[in-house]
Amino acid sequence: MGDAVELEAGGRTVRLSSPDKIFFPERGFTKLDLARYYQAVAPGILRALRNRPTTLERYPDGVTGENFFQKRAPKNMPDWIPTAHITFPSGRSADEMCPTEEAAVLWAAQFGTLTFHPWPVRRDDVDSPDELRIDLDPQPGTDYDDAVRAAHELRSVLDEFGGLRGWPKTSGGRGLHVFVPIEPRWTFTQVRRAAIAVGREMERRMPDHVTIKWWKEERGERIFLDYNQTARDRTIASAYSVRPRPHAPVSAPLRWEEVGEAHPQDFDLATMPARFAELGDVHADMDDHAFSLEPLLELARKDEHDHGLGDLPYPPEYPKMPGEPKRVQPSRARKPGSTTP
C-alpha cells in the first residue's frame, strides 16, 4: 500500500495512510489520487460545503468494497473541525462535521470518503434552509438528454416566479441538480412545499416529460422531480464530489450554456482538475445571492385553493406529517367497499 504521506493544506498537515490503495480498479485511481483531486478543486468543494452539516459517504476499501453513510462526527475527528447539532425526523439528534477548510476535506478522504452530502443549512441556523435544491432524476426509459430538456424548462419556471436563478450541475450519474440560493427564513416544510409547487408547474408545462408522482408505478418514462430531496435530513451530493461508480465520475457544476453541450461522462476524477484550473469554480458567485420563496409559496397556496392540490407523501421512514395524504402505493390501496388491499 506504500508508506504514509503527509499533505499540506492551509497550514495544516494531514496524514494519508496507504496512499497506493486502489480505490477505482477500472481506472487505477488510488487513495492518493482521490486526495490530490480534492486538493485540486478545494476552493470549489469548500464553497459547496463550508459551514454545512455534512454526511460522509465512505468506501474505506474503495468503490468495490463495503460502504456506509456516516452522519455522526467520528470520535477521532480533529477538534479543529467544527460541528453542528442537527435533529432528524425521528427526533434523534447528532453532531455532524461542518467543513470549513481544505484540510477537513482531506481528512475525510483519508478515511475513504468519496462523496460529501451537505445539508442545505449553515451551522448557525440548522432549521432554516438557504438553498432550494431541485433533483431531476431520469426514470427507466429516459436519459440525461431528457433531464436537460426539463432543466431548461425549469430555468424558465424559476425566472417567472420571482426572478429566481438556479445553478445547474450534473449529478455524477444520469441526472441534473439545480440549486437556488434562498433567504434562510423558511422551514424545511415550507421549502419542500415550494419544491412541490415547482414540480406541479413543470408537470403542467411538460406533462409527457416530467412527473412528481412519488410512487414509481405511476411515473412512467418521465423525469421525476424529486420534491422529497428538500425534506429534513435528505441531502444531495455536493458539487465536485466524487461519485461511487467504476469510472470515478464527479458532480460537475455547469454554466447554463453548457447544459446540453456537456455530458456527465466528460467529468471525472482525472478531467475535472484541468477544467477547474482553467475556469475555476463556475458557481463561485452562488453565495452572493439569496432569493425569496414567496412567489413559489403563493403558487402553492393557489394550487391548493383553486385546484385542491395539497401535500404529497413523505419518504417511508418519516413520521406521518400534518396534511399528508395516505402513504400507500396506489396498487395496494383499498378500493371503496373493499376489505382487502
Side-chain angles (χ1 to χ4, degrees), residues 134-139 141-155 168-171 173-178 202 206 209-210 221-225 254 256 259-260 262-264:
I134 307 295
D135 181 9
L136 299 172
D137 184 11
Q139 299 302 290
T142 65
D143 56 21
Y144 179 75
D145 290 336
D146 295 301
V148 165
R149 291 181 60 191
H152 284 300
E153 188 61 42
L154 171 63
R155 187 185 187 189
K169 68 182 185 71
T170 66
S171 67
R174 300 188 306 138
L176 277 165
H177 302 149
V178 178
M202 289 286 290
M206 307 181 76
H209 301 286
V210 175
E221 295 184 359
R222 291 179 286 184
I223 297 297
F224 174 48
L225 192 151
L254 302 175
W256 274 109
V259 177
H263 288 84

mmCIF file of all heavy atoms in Angstrom, residues 134-139 141-155 168-171 173-178 202 206 209-210 221-225 254 256 259-260 262-264:
data_model
loop_
_atom_site.group_PDB
_atom_site.id
_atom_site.type_symbol
_atom_site.label_atom_id
_atom_site.label_comp_id
_atom_site.label_asym_id
_atom_site.label_seq_id
_atom_site.Cartn_x
_atom_site.Cartn_y
_atom_site.Cartn_z
ATOM 1 N N ILE A 134 -33.305 21.285 -6.469
ATOM 2 C CA ILE A 134 -34.188 20.562 -7.378
ATOM 3 C C ILE A 134 -33.415 19.408 -8.003
ATOM 4 O O ILE A 134 -32.374 19.611 -8.638
ATOM 5 C CB ILE A 134 -34.731 21.480 -8.497
ATOM 6 C CG1 ILE A 134 -35.381 22.741 -7.896
ATOM 7 C CG2 ILE A 134 -35.708 20.723 -9.385
ATOM 8 C CD1 ILE A 134 -36.603 22.486 -7.071
ATOM 9 N N ASP A 135 -33.936 18.200 -7.830
ATOM 10 C CA ASP A 135 -33.308 16.977 -8.334
ATOM 11 C C ASP A 135 -34.125 16.463 -9.514
ATOM 12 O O ASP A 135 -35.284 16.094 -9.357
ATOM 13 C CB ASP A 135 -33.255 15.943 -7.214
ATOM 14 C CG ASP A 135 -32.603 14.630 -7.633
ATOM 15 O OD1 ASP A 135 -32.040 14.569 -8.747
ATOM 16 O OD2 ASP A 135 -32.669 13.664 -6.859
ATOM 17 N N LEU A 136 -33.537 16.468 -10.704
ATOM 18 C CA LEU A 136 -34.183 15.960 -11.913
ATOM 19 C C LEU A 136 -33.637 14.562 -12.187
ATOM 20 O O LEU A 136 -32.504 14.401 -12.651
ATOM 21 C CB LEU A 136 -33.922 16.899 -13.094
ATOM 22 C CG LEU A 136 -34.454 18.330 -12.913
ATOM 23 C CD1 LEU A 136 -33.976 19.220 -14.055
ATOM 24 C CD2 LEU A 136 -35.975 18.347 -12.813
ATOM 25 N N ASP A 137 -34.444 13.562 -11.878
ATOM 26 C CA ASP A 137 -33.997 12.175 -11.832
ATOM 27 C C ASP A 137 -34.602 11.375 -12.987
ATOM 28 O O ASP A 137 -35.807 11.091 -12.993
ATOM 29 C CB ASP A 137 -34.424 11.572 -10.490
ATOM 30 C CG ASP A 137 -33.927 10.161 -10.282
ATOM 31 O OD1 ASP A 137 -33.072 9.705 -11.072
ATOM 32 O OD2 ASP A 137 -34.395 9.502 -9.340
ATOM 33 N N PRO A 138 -33.803 10.976 -13.989
ATOM 34 C CA PRO A 138 -34.337 10.179 -15.097
ATOM 35 C C PRO A 138 -34.852 8.823 -14.627
ATOM 36 O O PRO A 138 -34.184 8.110 -13.875
ATOM 37 C CB PRO A 138 -33.125 10.006 -16.026
ATOM 38 C CG PRO A 138 -32.226 11.159 -15.696
ATOM 39 C CD PRO A 138 -32.391 11.354 -14.211
ATOM 40 N N GLN A 139 -36.039 8.480 -15.088
ATOM 41 C CA GLN A 139 -36.636 7.183 -14.789
ATOM 42 C C GLN A 139 -36.355 6.213 -15.940
ATOM 43 O O GLN A 139 -35.911 6.625 -17.012
ATOM 44 C CB GLN A 139 -38.141 7.353 -14.573
ATOM 45 C CG GLN A 139 -38.485 8.282 -13.413
ATOM 46 C CD GLN A 139 -37.894 7.816 -12.097
ATOM 47 O OE1 GLN A 139 -38.308 6.811 -11.538
ATOM 48 N NE2 GLN A 139 -36.876 8.540 -11.605
ATOM 49 N N GLY A 141 -36.283 4.344 -19.195
ATOM 50 C CA GLY A 141 -36.816 4.786 -20.476
ATOM 51 C C GLY A 141 -36.459 6.224 -20.800
ATOM 52 O O GLY A 141 -36.767 6.704 -21.896
ATOM 53 N N THR A 142 -35.830 6.918 -19.852
ATOM 54 C CA THR A 142 -35.375 8.286 -20.091
ATOM 55 C C THR A 142 -33.880 8.367 -19.818
ATOM 56 O O THR A 142 -33.290 7.452 -19.257
ATOM 57 C CB THR A 142 -36.119 9.299 -19.197
ATOM 58 O OG1 THR A 142 -35.795 9.037 -17.822
ATOM 59 C CG2 THR A 142 -37.628 9.187 -19.380
ATOM 60 N N ASP A 143 -33.266 9.489 -20.218
ATOM 61 C CA ASP A 143 -31.824 9.614 -20.042
ATOM 62 C C ASP A 143 -31.442 11.059 -19.751
ATOM 63 O O ASP A 143 -32.304 11.908 -19.511
ATOM 64 C CB ASP A 143 -31.090 9.097 -21.289
ATOM 65 C CG ASP A 143 -31.527 9.796 -22.578
ATOM 66 O OD1 ASP A 143 -32.078 10.915 -22.509
ATOM 67 O OD2 ASP A 143 -31.305 9.223 -23.658
ATOM 68 N N TYR A 144 -30.156 11.321 -19.789
ATOM 69 C CA TYR A 144 -29.643 12.644 -19.463
ATOM 70 C C TYR A 144 -30.221 13.720 -20.375
ATOM 71 O O TYR A 144 -30.532 14.833 -19.919
ATOM 72 C CB TYR A 144 -28.122 12.645 -19.540
ATOM 73 C CG TYR A 144 -27.494 13.982 -19.229
ATOM 74 C CD1 TYR A 144 -27.419 14.448 -17.917
ATOM 75 C CD2 TYR A 144 -26.971 14.781 -20.245
ATOM 76 C CE1 TYR A 144 -26.844 15.680 -17.621
ATOM 77 C CE2 TYR A 144 -26.395 16.016 -19.959
ATOM 78 C CZ TYR A 144 -26.333 16.452 -18.650
ATOM 79 O OH TYR A 144 -25.771 17.677 -18.366
ATOM 80 N N ASP A 145 -30.373 13.404 -21.656
ATOM 81 C CA ASP A 145 -30.913 14.402 -22.588
ATOM 82 C C ASP A 145 -32.329 14.814 -22.196
ATOM 83 O O ASP A 145 -32.727 15.972 -22.387
ATOM 84 C CB ASP A 145 -30.889 13.871 -24.021
ATOM 85 C CG ASP A 145 -29.473 13.746 -24.576
ATOM 86 O OD1 ASP A 145 -28.573 14.463 -24.064
ATOM 87 O OD2 ASP A 145 -29.254 12.947 -25.496
ATOM 88 N N ASP A 146 -33.092 13.879 -21.656
ATOM 89 C CA ASP A 146 -34.435 14.215 -21.184
ATOM 90 C C ASP A 146 -34.352 15.132 -19.959
ATOM 91 O O ASP A 146 -35.162 16.054 -19.797
ATOM 92 C CB ASP A 146 -35.210 12.941 -20.834
ATOM 93 C CG ASP A 146 -35.469 12.070 -22.049
ATOM 94 O OD1 ASP A 146 -36.100 12.558 -22.998
ATOM 95 O OD2 ASP A 146 -35.031 10.912 -22.042
ATOM 96 N N ALA A 147 -33.373 14.884 -19.091
ATOM 97 C CA ALA A 147 -33.176 15.757 -17.939
ATOM 98 C C ALA A 147 -32.776 17.157 -18.387
ATOM 99 O O ALA A 147 -33.181 18.157 -17.779
ATOM 100 C CB ALA A 147 -32.114 15.164 -17.009
ATOM 101 N N VAL A 148 -31.994 17.243 -19.446
ATOM 102 C CA VAL A 148 -31.590 18.547 -19.979
ATOM 103 C C VAL A 148 -32.810 19.337 -20.445
ATOM 104 O O VAL A 148 -32.942 20.538 -20.153
ATOM 105 C CB VAL A 148 -30.592 18.360 -21.145
ATOM 106 C CG1 VAL A 148 -30.445 19.642 -21.957
ATOM 107 C CG2 VAL A 148 -29.238 17.907 -20.604
ATOM 108 N N ARG A 149 -33.725 18.687 -21.162
ATOM 109 C CA ARG A 149 -34.950 19.365 -21.614
ATOM 110 C C ARG A 149 -35.727 19.897 -20.423
ATOM 111 O O ARG A 149 -36.210 21.041 -20.435
ATOM 112 C CB ARG A 149 -35.829 18.406 -22.415
ATOM 113 C CG ARG A 149 -35.279 18.008 -23.765
ATOM 114 C CD ARG A 149 -36.240 17.070 -24.480
ATOM 115 N NE ARG A 149 -37.538 17.696 -24.704
ATOM 116 C CZ ARG A 149 -38.625 17.043 -25.118
ATOM 117 N NH1 ARG A 149 -38.559 15.725 -25.307
ATOM 118 N NH2 ARG A 149 -39.757 17.676 -25.325
ATOM 119 N N ALA A 150 -35.838 19.082 -19.393
ATOM 120 C CA ALA A 150 -36.562 19.512 -18.198
ATOM 121 C C ALA A 150 -35.840 20.667 -17.506
ATOM 122 O O ALA A 150 -36.482 21.601 -17.012
ATOM 123 C CB ALA A 150 -36.723 18.337 -17.240
ATOM 124 N N ALA A 151 -34.528 20.623 -17.475
ATOM 125 C CA ALA A 151 -33.766 21.672 -16.804
ATOM 126 C C ALA A 151 -33.967 23.024 -17.467
ATOM 127 O O ALA A 151 -34.085 24.056 -16.780
ATOM 128 C CB ALA A 151 -32.279 21.307 -16.786
ATOM 129 N N HIS A 152 -34.013 23.056 -18.774
ATOM 130 C CA HIS A 152 -34.206 24.336 -19.460
ATOM 131 C C HIS A 152 -35.608 24.898 -19.196
ATOM 132 O O HIS A 152 -35.776 26.115 -19.043
ATOM 133 C CB HIS A 152 -33.948 24.173 -20.955
ATOM 134 C CG HIS A 152 -32.492 24.086 -21.312
ATOM 135 N ND1 HIS A 152 -31.599 25.102 -21.032
ATOM 136 C CD2 HIS A 152 -31.764 23.096 -21.898
ATOM 137 C CE1 HIS A 152 -30.376 24.748 -21.445
ATOM 138 N NE2 HIS A 152 -30.461 23.539 -21.971
ATOM 139 N N GLU A 153 -36.602 24.030 -19.128
ATOM 140 C CA GLU A 153 -37.942 24.500 -18.776
ATOM 141 C C GLU A 153 -37.975 24.948 -17.314
ATOM 142 O O GLU A 153 -38.617 25.953 -16.966
ATOM 143 C CB GLU A 153 -38.974 23.412 -19.018
ATOM 144 C CG GLU A 153 -40.419 23.884 -18.862
ATOM 145 C CD GLU A 153 -40.781 24.984 -19.848
ATOM 146 O OE1 GLU A 153 -40.404 24.899 -21.032
ATOM 147 O OE2 GLU A 153 -41.456 25.948 -19.419
ATOM 148 N N LEU A 154 -37.275 24.220 -16.448
ATOM 149 C CA LEU A 154 -37.183 24.606 -15.049
ATOM 150 C C LEU A 154 -36.575 25.997 -14.914
ATOM 151 O O LEU A 154 -37.035 26.810 -14.097
ATOM 152 C CB LEU A 154 -36.332 23.587 -14.288
ATOM 153 C CG LEU A 154 -35.961 23.942 -12.847
ATOM 154 C CD1 LEU A 154 -37.204 24.058 -11.965
ATOM 155 C CD2 LEU A 154 -34.993 22.906 -12.278
ATOM 156 N N ARG A 155 -35.584 26.287 -15.698
ATOM 157 C CA ARG A 155 -34.967 27.615 -15.657
ATOM 158 C C ARG A 155 -36.005 28.702 -15.932
ATOM 159 O O ARG A 155 -36.025 29.739 -15.255
ATOM 160 C CB ARG A 155 -33.833 27.688 -16.677
ATOM 161 C CG ARG A 155 -33.016 28.966 -16.610
ATOM 162 C CD ARG A 155 -31.979 29.019 -17.722
ATOM 163 N NE ARG A 155 -31.098 30.166 -17.560
ATOM 164 C CZ ARG A 155 -30.213 30.541 -18.476
ATOM 165 N NH1 ARG A 155 -30.067 29.838 -19.611
ATOM 166 N NH2 ARG A 155 -29.443 31.605 -18.270
ATOM 167 N N PRO A 168 -26.957 25.020 -12.168
ATOM 168 C CA PRO A 168 -27.066 23.597 -12.516
ATOM 169 C C PRO A 168 -25.754 22.836 -12.338
ATOM 170 O O PRO A 168 -24.664 23.389 -12.444
ATOM 171 C CB PRO A 168 -27.450 23.645 -13.999
ATOM 172 C CG PRO A 168 -26.759 24.886 -14.512
ATOM 173 C CD PRO A 168 -26.766 25.873 -13.358
ATOM 174 N N LYS A 169 -25.895 21.536 -12.075
ATOM 175 C CA LYS A 169 -24.727 20.657 -12.037
ATOM 176 C C LYS A 169 -25.158 19.249 -12.402
ATOM 177 O O LYS A 169 -26.325 18.885 -12.240
ATOM 178 C CB LYS A 169 -24.058 20.674 -10.664
ATOM 179 C CG LYS A 169 -24.845 20.047 -9.529
ATOM 180 C CD LYS A 169 -24.087 20.189 -8.209
ATOM 181 C CE LYS A 169 -24.776 19.479 -7.051
ATOM 182 N NZ LYS A 169 -24.701 18.005 -7.143
ATOM 183 N N THR A 170 -24.223 18.479 -12.915
ATOM 184 C CA THR A 170 -24.511 17.067 -13.143
ATOM 185 C C THR A 170 -24.589 16.368 -11.794
ATOM 186 O O THR A 170 -23.959 16.782 -10.815
ATOM 187 C CB THR A 170 -23.422 16.386 -13.991
ATOM 188 O OG1 THR A 170 -22.193 16.367 -13.261
ATOM 189 C CG2 THR A 170 -23.212 17.121 -15.316
ATOM 190 N N SER A 171 -25.360 15.294 -11.751
ATOM 191 C CA SER A 171 -25.451 14.520 -10.505
ATOM 192 C C SER A 171 -24.241 13.615 -10.332
ATOM 193 O O SER A 171 -23.967 13.140 -9.231
ATOM 194 C CB SER A 171 -26.724 13.668 -10.521
ATOM 195 O OG SER A 171 -26.635 12.668 -11.529
ATOM 196 N N GLY A 173 -24.325 11.017 -12.238
ATOM 197 C CA GLY A 173 -24.972 9.875 -12.883
ATOM 198 C C GLY A 173 -25.668 10.358 -14.146
ATOM 199 O O GLY A 173 -25.071 11.054 -14.965
ATOM 200 N N ARG A 174 -26.973 10.042 -14.268
ATOM 201 C CA ARG A 174 -27.697 10.436 -15.478
ATOM 202 C C ARG A 174 -28.526 11.697 -15.281
ATOM 203 O O ARG A 174 -29.126 12.195 -16.231
ATOM 204 C CB ARG A 174 -28.638 9.303 -15.920
ATOM 205 C CG ARG A 174 -27.918 7.991 -16.242
ATOM 206 C CD ARG A 174 -28.872 6.985 -16.861
ATOM 207 N NE ARG A 174 -30.056 6.790 -16.021
ATOM 208 C CZ ARG A 174 -31.303 6.691 -16.496
ATOM 209 N NH1 ARG A 174 -31.525 6.810 -17.778
ATOM 210 N NH2 ARG A 174 -32.315 6.485 -15.669
ATOM 211 N N GLY A 175 -28.574 12.215 -14.066
ATOM 212 C CA GLY A 175 -29.481 13.307 -13.776
ATOM 213 C C GLY A 175 -28.812 14.663 -13.675
ATOM 214 O O GLY A 175 -27.603 14.825 -13.887
ATOM 215 N N LEU A 176 -29.635 15.651 -13.330
ATOM 216 C CA LEU A 176 -29.177 17.015 -13.137
ATOM 217 C C LEU A 176 -29.727 17.553 -11.824
ATOM 218 O O LEU A 176 -30.845 17.202 -11.421
ATOM 219 C CB LEU A 176 -29.657 17.914 -14.280
ATOM 220 C CG LEU A 176 -28.835 17.922 -15.569
ATOM 221 C CD1 LEU A 176 -29.636 18.563 -16.702
ATOM 222 C CD2 LEU A 176 -27.523 18.691 -15.361
ATOM 223 N N HIS A 177 -28.956 18.395 -11.181
ATOM 224 C CA HIS A 177 -29.393 19.110 -9.994
ATOM 225 C C HIS A 177 -29.365 20.601 -10.293
ATOM 226 O O HIS A 177 -28.469 21.074 -11.009
ATOM 227 C CB HIS A 177 -28.461 18.843 -8.811
ATOM 228 C CG HIS A 177 -28.321 17.406 -8.446
ATOM 229 N ND1 HIS A 177 -27.163 16.881 -7.895
ATOM 230 C CD2 HIS A 177 -29.190 16.375 -8.538
ATOM 231 C CE1 HIS A 177 -27.335 15.586 -7.656
ATOM 232 N NE2 HIS A 177 -28.552 15.249 -8.057
ATOM 233 N N VAL A 178 -30.333 21.319 -9.758
ATOM 234 C CA VAL A 178 -30.341 22.773 -9.870
ATOM 235 C C VAL A 178 -30.539 23.338 -8.468
ATOM 236 O O VAL A 178 -31.539 23.040 -7.812
ATOM 237 C CB VAL A 178 -31.457 23.261 -10.816
ATOM 238 C CG1 VAL A 178 -31.468 24.786 -10.873
ATOM 239 C CG2 VAL A 178 -31.261 22.685 -12.222
ATOM 240 N N MET A 202 -44.109 22.355 -13.493
ATOM 241 C CA MET A 202 -43.384 21.619 -14.529
ATOM 242 C C MET A 202 -44.274 20.552 -15.152
ATOM 243 O O MET A 202 -44.254 20.348 -16.382
ATOM 244 C CB MET A 202 -42.131 20.987 -13.932
ATOM 245 C CG MET A 202 -41.042 21.980 -13.563
ATOM 246 S SD MET A 202 -40.177 22.628 -14.998
ATOM 247 C CE MET A 202 -39.275 21.176 -15.528
ATOM 248 N N MET A 206 -44.985 20.291 -19.052
ATOM 249 C CA MET A 206 -44.371 19.149 -19.744
ATOM 250 C C MET A 206 -44.992 17.850 -19.241
ATOM 251 O O MET A 206 -44.306 16.996 -18.681
ATOM 252 C CB MET A 206 -42.855 19.143 -19.511
ATOM 253 C CG MET A 206 -42.124 20.417 -19.844
ATOM 254 S SD MET A 206 -40.323 20.289 -19.559
ATOM 255 C CE MET A 206 -39.813 19.311 -20.982
ATOM 256 N N HIS A 209 -43.338 14.595 -20.058
ATOM 257 C CA HIS A 209 -41.893 14.521 -19.848
ATOM 258 C C HIS A 209 -41.464 14.645 -18.391
ATOM 259 O O HIS A 209 -40.350 14.236 -18.043
ATOM 260 C CB HIS A 209 -41.184 15.605 -20.669
ATOM 261 C CG HIS A 209 -41.436 15.502 -22.139
ATOM 262 N ND1 HIS A 209 -40.850 14.534 -22.935
ATOM 263 C CD2 HIS A 209 -42.228 16.226 -22.962
ATOM 264 C CE1 HIS A 209 -41.271 14.673 -24.180
ATOM 265 N NE2 HIS A 209 -42.098 15.686 -24.226
ATOM 266 N N VAL A 210 -42.302 15.225 -17.531
ATOM 267 C CA VAL A 210 -41.928 15.464 -16.130
ATOM 268 C C VAL A 210 -43.048 14.980 -15.218
ATOM 269 O O VAL A 210 -44.233 15.127 -15.532
ATOM 270 C CB VAL A 210 -41.657 16.958 -15.872
ATOM 271 C CG1 VAL A 210 -41.393 17.212 -14.378
ATOM 272 C CG2 VAL A 210 -40.469 17.445 -16.697
ATOM 273 N N GLU A 221 -42.275 6.796 -18.221
ATOM 274 C CA GLU A 221 -40.990 7.185 -18.810
ATOM 275 C C GLU A 221 -40.884 8.705 -18.812
ATOM 276 O O GLU A 221 -40.948 9.368 -19.845
ATOM 277 C CB GLU A 221 -40.854 6.602 -20.221
ATOM 278 C CG GLU A 221 -40.793 5.079 -20.230
ATOM 279 C CD GLU A 221 -40.573 4.501 -21.612
ATOM 280 O OE1 GLU A 221 -40.477 5.276 -22.592
ATOM 281 O OE2 GLU A 221 -40.488 3.263 -21.720
ATOM 282 N N ARG A 222 -40.706 9.244 -17.616
ATOM 283 C CA ARG A 222 -40.623 10.686 -17.441
ATOM 284 C C ARG A 222 -39.509 11.029 -16.455
ATOM 285 O O ARG A 222 -39.018 10.167 -15.734
ATOM 286 C CB ARG A 222 -41.967 11.238 -16.935
ATOM 287 C CG ARG A 222 -43.082 11.162 -17.963
ATOM 288 C CD ARG A 222 -44.401 11.696 -17.426
ATOM 289 N NE ARG A 222 -45.016 10.761 -16.473
ATOM 290 C CZ ARG A 222 -46.202 10.948 -15.906
ATOM 291 N NH1 ARG A 222 -46.890 12.062 -16.180
ATOM 292 N NH2 ARG A 222 -46.698 10.053 -15.064
ATOM 293 N N ILE A 223 -39.125 12.289 -16.438
ATOM 294 C CA ILE A 223 -38.161 12.777 -15.458
ATOM 295 C C ILE A 223 -38.896 13.018 -14.152
ATOM 296 O O ILE A 223 -39.905 13.730 -14.115
ATOM 297 C CB ILE A 223 -37.491 14.077 -15.944
ATOM 298 C CG1 ILE A 223 -36.696 13.829 -17.232
ATOM 299 C CG2 ILE A 223 -36.594 14.653 -14.861
ATOM 300 C CD1 ILE A 223 -35.530 12.865 -17.078
ATOM 301 N N PHE A 224 -38.395 12.425 -13.088
ATOM 302 C CA PHE A 224 -39.002 12.590 -11.774
ATOM 303 C C PHE A 224 -38.355 13.772 -11.070
ATOM 304 O O PHE A 224 -37.142 13.781 -10.842
ATOM 305 C CB PHE A 224 -38.812 11.312 -10.957
ATOM 306 C CG PHE A 224 -39.264 11.406 -9.524
ATOM 307 C CD1 PHE A 224 -40.497 11.942 -9.185
ATOM 308 C CD2 PHE A 224 -38.436 10.939 -8.501
ATOM 309 C CE1 PHE A 224 -40.906 12.023 -7.860
ATOM 310 C CE2 PHE A 224 -38.837 11.005 -7.177
ATOM 311 C CZ PHE A 224 -40.077 11.560 -6.849
ATOM 312 N N LEU A 225 -39.151 14.784 -10.754
ATOM 313 C CA LEU A 225 -38.672 15.900 -9.947
ATOM 314 C C LEU A 225 -38.875 15.498 -8.482
ATOM 315 O O LEU A 225 -40.000 15.492 -7.990
ATOM 316 C CB LEU A 225 -39.421 17.193 -10.300
ATOM 317 C CG LEU A 225 -38.833 18.487 -9.729
ATOM 318 C CD1 LEU A 225 -39.143 19.671 -10.648
ATOM 319 C CD2 LEU A 225 -39.351 18.773 -8.324
ATOM 320 N N LEU A 254 -22.071 23.375 -13.734
ATOM 321 C CA LEU A 254 -22.147 23.805 -15.124
ATOM 322 C C LEU A 254 -22.627 25.243 -15.226
ATOM 323 O O LEU A 254 -23.356 25.723 -14.359
ATOM 324 C CB LEU A 254 -23.116 22.918 -15.917
ATOM 325 C CG LEU A 254 -22.842 21.418 -15.977
ATOM 326 C CD1 LEU A 254 -23.983 20.710 -16.703
ATOM 327 C CD2 LEU A 254 -21.515 21.128 -16.662
ATOM 328 N N TRP A 256 -25.137 27.619 -17.540
ATOM 329 C CA TRP A 256 -26.361 27.251 -18.244
ATOM 330 C C TRP A 256 -26.110 26.958 -19.719
ATOM 331 O O TRP A 256 -26.734 26.069 -20.299
ATOM 332 C CB TRP A 256 -27.431 28.329 -18.074
ATOM 333 C CG TRP A 256 -28.230 28.142 -16.827
ATOM 334 C CD1 TRP A 256 -28.197 28.896 -15.699
ATOM 335 C CD2 TRP A 256 -29.188 27.089 -16.573
ATOM 336 N NE1 TRP A 256 -29.063 28.391 -14.747
ATOM 337 C CE2 TRP A 256 -29.687 27.283 -15.261
ATOM 338 C CE3 TRP A 256 -29.673 26.017 -17.315
ATOM 339 C CZ2 TRP A 256 -30.640 26.454 -14.682
ATOM 340 C CZ3 TRP A 256 -30.620 25.178 -16.742
ATOM 341 C CH2 TRP A 256 -31.088 25.387 -15.450
ATOM 342 N N VAL A 259 -25.398 23.327 -20.353
ATOM 343 C CA VAL A 259 -26.423 22.303 -20.124
ATOM 344 C C VAL A 259 -26.953 21.854 -21.483
ATOM 345 O O VAL A 259 -27.627 22.584 -22.172
ATOM 346 C CB VAL A 259 -27.557 22.844 -19.237
ATOM 347 C CG1 VAL A 259 -28.655 21.790 -19.082
ATOM 348 C CG2 VAL A 259 -27.024 23.263 -17.880
ATOM 349 N N GLY A 260 -26.624 20.652 -21.857
ATOM 350 C CA GLY A 260 -26.966 20.137 -23.178
ATOM 351 C C GLY A 260 -25.749 20.006 -24.072
ATOM 352 O O GLY A 260 -25.716 19.165 -24.978
ATOM 353 N N ALA A 262 -22.397 19.864 -22.621
ATOM 354 C CA ALA A 262 -21.546 18.937 -21.866
ATOM 355 C C ALA A 262 -22.360 17.717 -21.459
ATOM 356 O O ALA A 262 -23.588 17.750 -21.415
ATOM 357 C CB ALA A 262 -20.995 19.630 -20.635
ATOM 358 N N HIS A 263 -21.674 16.628 -21.152
ATOM 359 C CA HIS A 263 -22.326 15.395 -20.718
ATOM 360 C C HIS A 263 -21.634 14.859 -19.462
ATOM 361 O O HIS A 263 -20.445 15.124 -19.245
ATOM 362 C CB HIS A 263 -22.304 14.351 -21.837
ATOM 363 C CG HIS A 263 -23.229 14.683 -22.954
ATOM 364 N ND1 HIS A 263 -22.880 15.541 -23.975
ATOM 365 C CD2 HIS A 263 -24.517 14.307 -23.202
ATOM 366 C CE1 HIS A 263 -23.894 15.671 -24.817
ATOM 367 N NE2 HIS A 263 -24.893 14.946 -24.366
ATOM 368 N N PRO A 264 -22.352 14.111 -18.648
ATOM 369 C CA PRO A 264 -21.785 13.637 -17.374
ATOM 370 C C PRO A 264 -20.462 12.911 -17.521
ATOM 371 O O PRO A 264 -19.579 13.048 -16.663
ATOM 372 C CB PRO A 264 -22.880 12.707 -16.833
ATOM 373 C CG PRO A 264 -24.143 13.220 -17.431
ATOM 374 C CD PRO A 264 -23.764 13.703 -18.798
#
